[in-house]
Amino acid sequence: MSLVQVTDLTVEFGALRAVDGLSFRLERGAALALVGESGSGKSTVASALLGLHHGTGARVGGSIDVAGIDVQAASDGELRRLRGAKAAMVFQDPLSSLDPYYAIGDQIAEVHRVHTRGSRRAARARAVEVLDRVGIPDAPRRSRSRPHEFSGGMRQRALIAMALACEPDLLIADEPTTALDVTVQAQILDLLHTLREETGMGLLLVTHDVGVAAESVDQVLVMRHGREVEQGPVAAVLGAPAQPYTRELLSAVPRVDAARAPSAASDEVVLEATGLRREFGRGKRAFAAVDDVSLTVRRGETLGIVGESGSGKTTLGRMLVGLLEPTAGEVRYEGHARVGVRPTVQMVFQDPVSSLNPRRSVGESIADPLRARGEHDEGRIRGRVIELLERVGLEGAHYDRYPHEFSGGQRQRVGIARALAADPRVIVCDEPVSALDVTTQAQVVALLGELQRELGLALVFVAHDLAVVRQVSDRVAVMRHGRVVETGPADEVYDNPQDPYTRQLLAAVPALDPEAAARRRAVRRELASA
């Protein structure tokens, strides 16, 4: 009997049919990926497997069998026994899934006690055991840490440990690596693969990243608008997709081995940083987030800045814009020392939701730089904002809409329009596409390239995604622990990396070829055990 058997599943929220006639099965010990863009229904499917739509007003049709339990007919008590004991879920954002007030070990122990009725001592021992199993160093001590004391990758490992506490038959991982660096992502995917091999559990992976699917599963199901587009062995679906939409998804995936066509950059230096250093904290607790970084940005070119979380790349970007003043060193714009924030150097932020005021229309947010520059004619302001909205692929009628009425990709376009309102010569983009689907990501990257060519903009593109950085960059600077460890033309850095850290980053990039992914995983295992 299959571990998971789903037949003709439908899920409706009011008039919206989020899942429409979906069928699939997952065998014990196997791994299946649900792949699709935001809004494709894949997370809705994952929630339906655990009966999470019960009592929410959603209408669920079809049949769902998980580990021998008929989820549709199950009582509340049966669903509680299913969740955690037989099937467990790891969510995308570990911070929202972990209680900030309690130690990690206590939270895992509580899950174990609820399902096993064991003693506190046994539950505590199990918590330490599973934390050690997922690679948390010094597990007995770190089990007493609270979530904010863990890095993003460690928090995700802690969630996986919590899911393993009761030895489930099925692990559902919903976008488990979306917000992680490429090296941490590789570690988490390797961990899931190893756990599946050693425990025999089944894995259902929900992801919008085709490369992550290639690294992790045996079967893949491509979804769009709640329906199946294509389903089959991962090598067959990704290697020779039968459907146009699957081919479209694959074509939008940035490739780390694909060179970028040269841009029309000039020799004119518009932005220059010399010996930048930025310290946080005081006394013995002071640390340098950026340490002695020098770089130049030329008119019409894109400088990519890549590195893991904590490498200092965002701090560097904020100093280039003027949002942070350097502890030492200098930023010069067109040969003159920059003081404070200049309209000619603008920023596009990673999270457009938090950078846009939810109580103001997007048109008013875009108009702010115009008013700050001294424009008072409201008719001219509105006309310019409408022009900018249309320039980034939105509609002038969107002026009076609010941020929550837009998709993630549309909100990022709003952020770009707001940056353009100041008529900048340099735009610093801080992880501008990290939270977007591959197709939306490709659209935003193409928009930035188009604007750069038309307006002669210089771009500083800060990201942890090496494939995206290669796609957009003329030159690349690789950062680690606040310093630039390697810099040069993008093709040289990617094709012939000199620094061991750069080579390590490139080796962790997901491969779309499952056989290549398996070889890389084997190499990483050898390096880890050496």
Side-chain angles (χ1 to χ4, degrees):
M1 183 179 179
S2 299
L3 176 61
V4 177
Q5 178 74 55
V6 174
T7 306
D8 198 26
L9 174 64
T10 62
V11 182
E12 296 177 335
F13 302 98
L16 173 66
R17 177 165 284 198
V19 180
D20 189 3
L22 196 71
S23 298
F24 64 88
R25 65 173 60 191
L26 174 64
E27 305 302 329
R28 294 180 182 274
L32 167 70
L34 301 182
V35 177
E37 299 173 279
S38 294
S40 62
K42 55 190 187 298
S43 292
T44 303
V45 174
S47 296
L49 296 186
L50 295 180
L52 296 179
H53 297 305
H54 283 216
T56 66
R59 298 187 301 277
V60 181
S63 66
I64 309 168
D65 189 287
V66 177
I69 295 176
D70 182 347
V71 176
Q72 292 285 71
S75 65
D76 289 343
E78 289 172 322
L79 288 177
R80 282 194 294 271
R81 287 191 291 275
L82 168 66
R83 301 166 186 159
K86 292 183 177 292
M89 196 165 188
V90 176
F91 295 93
Q92 175 178 345
D93 181 11
L95 268 182
S96 64
S97 305
L98 294 167
D99 192 314
Y101 295 103
Y102 292 94
I104 294 285
D106 291 343
Q107 296 185 55
I108 297 173
E110 181 65 19
V111 170
H112 187 264
R113 288 192 69 213
V114 165
H115 290 285
T116 66
R117 304 296 182 184
S119 67
R120 291 183 181 275
R121 177 176 293 181
R124 180 73 190 175
R126 178 60 177 166
V128 172
E129 179 186 343
V130 291
L131 283 170
D132 180 69
R133 180 65 199 83
V134 299
I136 298 294
D138 194 6
R141 181 179 66 86
R142 296 311 301 268
S143 69
R144 295 190 289 273
S145 300
R146 286 172 173 76
H148 74 274
E149 299 177 271
F150 275 26
S151 68
M154 288 178 66
R155 284 194 291 264
Q156 199 59 282
R157 288 175 183 268
L159 271 190
I160 294 172
M162 186 180 294
L164 294 175
C166 299
E167 301 180 351
D169 299 317
L170 171 66
L171 181 66
I172 302 171
D174 188 2
E175 300 280 10
T177 63
T178 295
L180 302 180
D181 301 318
V182 64
T183 49
V184 180
Q185 173 178 274
Q187 293 165 10
I188 295 297
L189 295 178
D190 289 349
L191 171 63
L192 291 174
H193 184 84
T194 301
L195 292 171
R196 186 162 63 91
E197 283 185 336
E198 294 180 354
T199 67
M201 69 178 182
L203 172 66
L204 181 76
L205 177 67
V206 175
T207 181
H208 68 262
D209 191 324
V210 182
V212 167
E215 287 269 343
S216 313
V217 301
D218 317 304
Q219 302 279 319
V220 64
L221 193 166
V222 180
M223 292 184 65
R224 187 184 193 190
H225 303 323
R227 297 180 179 178
E228 174 190 324
V229 173
E230 191 165 352
Q231 182 175 179
V234 63
V237 172
L238 301 186
Q243 297 300 318
Y245 177 70
T246 309
R247 293 194 291 271
E248 179 185 329
L249 271 184
L250 288 169
S251 67
V253 177
R255 309 295 176 105
V256 77
D257 55 356
R260 183 200 189 205
S263 69
S266 73
D267 293 330
E268 177 192 355
V269 174
V270 291
L271 195 65
E272 183 178 13
T274 306
L276 285 188
R277 179 180 177 88
R278 174 68 194 201
E279 295 178 358
F280 292 96
R282 295 181 179 178
K284 294 182 179 180
R285 294 191 175 185
F287 73 98
V290 173
D291 187 10
D292 193 24
V293 169
S294 298
L295 52 83
T296 58
V297 185
R298 298 179 178 87
R299 185 176 184 272
E301 81 163 347
T302 300
L303 172 67
I305 299 178
V306 68
E308 298 174 282
S309 293
S311 63
K313 57 188 189 295
T314 292
T315 300
L316 173 60
R318 288 174 180 262
M319 283 193 289
L320 294 178
V321 174
L323 295 177
L324 285 175
E325 287 300 318
T327 305
E330 182 179 63
V331 177
R332 300 177 69 83
Y333 175 75
E334 294 187 335
H336 303 286
R338 192 220 62 227
V339 179
V341 178
R342 296 180 67 106
T344 47
V345 183
Q346 291 292 308
M347 196 166 201
V348 174
F349 296 90
Q350 174 178 356
D351 181 8
V353 175
S354 61
S355 63
L356 293 171
N357 189 330
R359 294 179 177 84
R360 301 179 72 212
S361 73
V362 297
E364 288 300 299
S365 291
I366 296 170
D368 284 341
L370 299 173
R371 295 193 176 103
R373 206 169 55 182
E375 179 63 66
H376 300 295
D377 186 322
E378 289 300 318
R380 292 178 62 180
I381 289 173
R382 190 176 184 93
R384 176 59 176 156
V385 171
I386 289 173
E387 178 186 320
L388 288 167
L389 284 167
E390 292 174 347
R391 184 65 199 79
V392 299
L394 298 173
E395 298 176 16
H398 289 159
Y399 185 108
D400 297 309
R401 291 189 182 180
Y402 290 82
H404 72 273
E405 298 179 78
F406 293 87
S407 67
Q410 288 176 321
R411 283 193 291 259
Q412 199 57 285
R413 289 172 184 265
V414 171
I416 294 170
R418 183 175 57 181
L420 291 176
D423 290 329
R425 297 194 68 191
V426 182
I427 295 181
V428 178
C429 304
D430 185 14
E431 299 277 12
V433 297
S434 64
L436 305 179
D437 303 318
V438 288
T439 49
T440 308
Q441 177 178 280
Q443 293 164 6
V444 172
V445 165
L447 171 63
L448 288 169
E450 183 183 328
L451 293 169
Q452 181 181 45
R453 288 187 296 272
E454 289 188 8
L455 305 175
L457 295 171
L459 298 178
V460 178
F461 199 95
V462 178
H464 66 260
D465 190 323
L466 277 81
V468 173
V469 169
R470 177 159 198 181
Q471 181 182 353
V472 303
S473 302
D474 301 295
R475 291 185 300 120
V476 172
V478 181
M479 291 191 68
R480 186 186 194 193
H481 301 326
R483 289 179 171 265
V484 173
V485 298
E486 186 164 359
T487 186
D491 290 348
E492 290 183 15
V493 171
Y494 277 76
D495 296 337
N496 188 27
Q498 300 300 303
D499 192 88
Y501 177 68
T502 308
R503 293 196 290 270
Q504 178 187 339
L505 284 179
L506 290 169
V509 176
L512 284 177
D513 178 0
E515 292 185 2
R519 290 194 295 270
R520 289 189 182 191
R521 185 163 50 243
V523 169
R524 291 196 293 265
R525 278 183 176 177
E526 290 178 8
L527 291 174
S529 61

